[in-house]
Amino acid sequence: MIEKIKEITYNTLEDYLFRLSELKDVRIAFSSSLSWEDQVITHAIFSQDLPIRVFTLDTGRLFPETYSVLEATRQHYQKSLEVYFPQHAAVEELVTKKGPVSFYESVENRKECCFIRKVEPLNRALENVDIWITGLRAEHSENRQELTLVEEDTGRGIVKVNPLVHWSLEEVKAYVKKHHIPGNVLQDRGFVSLGCQPCTRAIRKGELFRSGRWWWEDNSKKECGLHG
């Protein structure tokens, strides 16, 4: 299947997603963090009424502004995004044993929290999915410089497609503006990489894109397990 996907020719994002959705007997899902990038892809899917599931992860620690974008998106397109929550028993056990901010204490603790609140719900959302669409861009971080449009997620046994892999931030913002897409006001305030409220801050002038995520950690460790 991956070779068939790689053979798709297209001119625009909308064209690519349309052709992707035409593949026979293929189940496709898109995971949205409600960031500018993901709102671009959501628009391309919803505006064409494509048979692609759109879902988001509610970790229980999101910014109020992110919930506002979720509702604005529902109203704007008159369509629903599937929402996945973490397993309540796992969250209860974590907070009971280690407290509400254990992620500040070590990388291991932070990854444990990320797994419970993000990775496990994502794995459930991707059950029985053949193609997983993401809003990843190569310029997000050094770890993502080698991203390609189509790649294998060997851990989950599915194909991952990154249609914005070569887009610049300027191109993303221009698309959002052109199509009047609901966006998160936090990103206008420097919160360029959206995540959980306790783990995200605005970046300063000259800082890397991912500097605002888990800012107390070494830059080389800034992934949560969603993308390997």
Side-chain angles (χ1 to χ4, degrees):
M1 180 177 63
I2 191 168
E3 294 304 319
K4 185 181 295 186
I5 297 171
K6 288 181 177 180
E7 292 172 358
I8 293 176
T9 58
Y10 62 98
N11 295 313
T12 64
L13 171 65
E14 290 85 354
D15 186 26
Y16 181 70
L17 293 176
F18 176 78
R19 292 175 184 272
L20 197 65
S21 71
E22 283 191 314
L23 294 174
K24 291 184 178 180
D25 301 318
V26 174
R27 297 159 297 186
I28 309 174
F30 166 55
S31 58
S32 173
S33 68
L34 301 165
S35 65
W36 285 333
E37 289 88 350
D38 293 339
Q39 289 294 87
V40 164
I41 297 175
T42 295
H43 173 83
I45 294 171
F46 282 170
S47 64
Q48 298 184 94
D49 199 26
L50 300 180
I52 296 175
R53 287 175 48 223
V54 180
F55 71 87
T56 190
L57 307 177
D58 186 344
T59 65
R61 305 297 292 266
L62 302 180
F63 286 90
E65 290 86 349
T66 301
Y67 292 110
S68 295
V69 177
L70 174 58
E71 182 57 22
T73 303
R74 285 166 40 83
Q75 296 296 332
H76 186 77
Y77 296 103
Q78 290 297 296
K79 293 181 180 293
S80 296
L81 290 78
E82 298 176 14
V83 181
Y84 285 80
F85 289 87
Q87 301 281 7
H88 73 274
V91 176
E92 290 170 358
E93 181 178 6
L94 174 65
V95 177
T96 297
K97 288 184 176 180
K98 296 187 176 181
V101 291
S102 61
F103 39 81
Y104 290 137
E105 297 171 3
S106 68
V107 173
E108 291 70 28
N109 277 358
R110 194 268 294 167
K111 289 187 175 181
E112 177 184 28
C113 186
C114 285
F115 181 85
I116 290 171
R117 293 183 182 274
K118 299 168 70 174
V119 180
E120 190 280 330
L122 175 69
N123 290 342
R124 277 189 283 118
L126 292 177
E127 288 178 359
N128 303 315
V129 168
D130 301 302
I131 299 174
W132 171 25
I133 300 174
T134 86
L136 296 180
R137 294 188 296 114
E139 70 174 23
H140 277 160
S141 70
E142 291 184 6
N143 292 341
R144 297 177 180 177
Q145 292 299 306
E146 303 303 318
L147 275 177
T148 56
L149 173 62
V150 182
E151 54 189 9
E152 289 188 83
D153 184 328
T154 54
R156 297 183 176 91
I158 61 178
V159 178
K160 185 159 68 169
V161 175
N162 311 304
L164 304 185
V165 60
H166 299 305
W167 283 43
S168 68
L169 180 59
E170 289 70 28
E171 288 175 306
V172 171
K173 292 170 70 174
Y175 188 100
V176 169
K177 182 177 180 180
K178 176 182 178 181
H179 295 282
H180 308 288
I181 300 171
N184 197 319
V185 295
L186 288 174
Q187 290 182 277
D188 289 316
R189 301 172 189 166
F191 291 80
V192 292
S193 180
L194 292 176
C196 293
Q197 188 170 20
C199 299
T200 309
R201 67 161 173 80
I203 64 171
R204 305 181 183 95
K205 186 176 181 180
E207 286 187 320
L208 298 174
F209 188 92
R210 297 277 284 180
S211 297
R213 297 291 293 277
W214 313 300
W215 66 90
W216 63 92
E217 292 181 5
D218 182 284
N219 280 333
S220 65
K221 302 172 183 176
K222 292 190 173 182
E223 292 293 347
C224 61
L226 291 181
H227 301 285

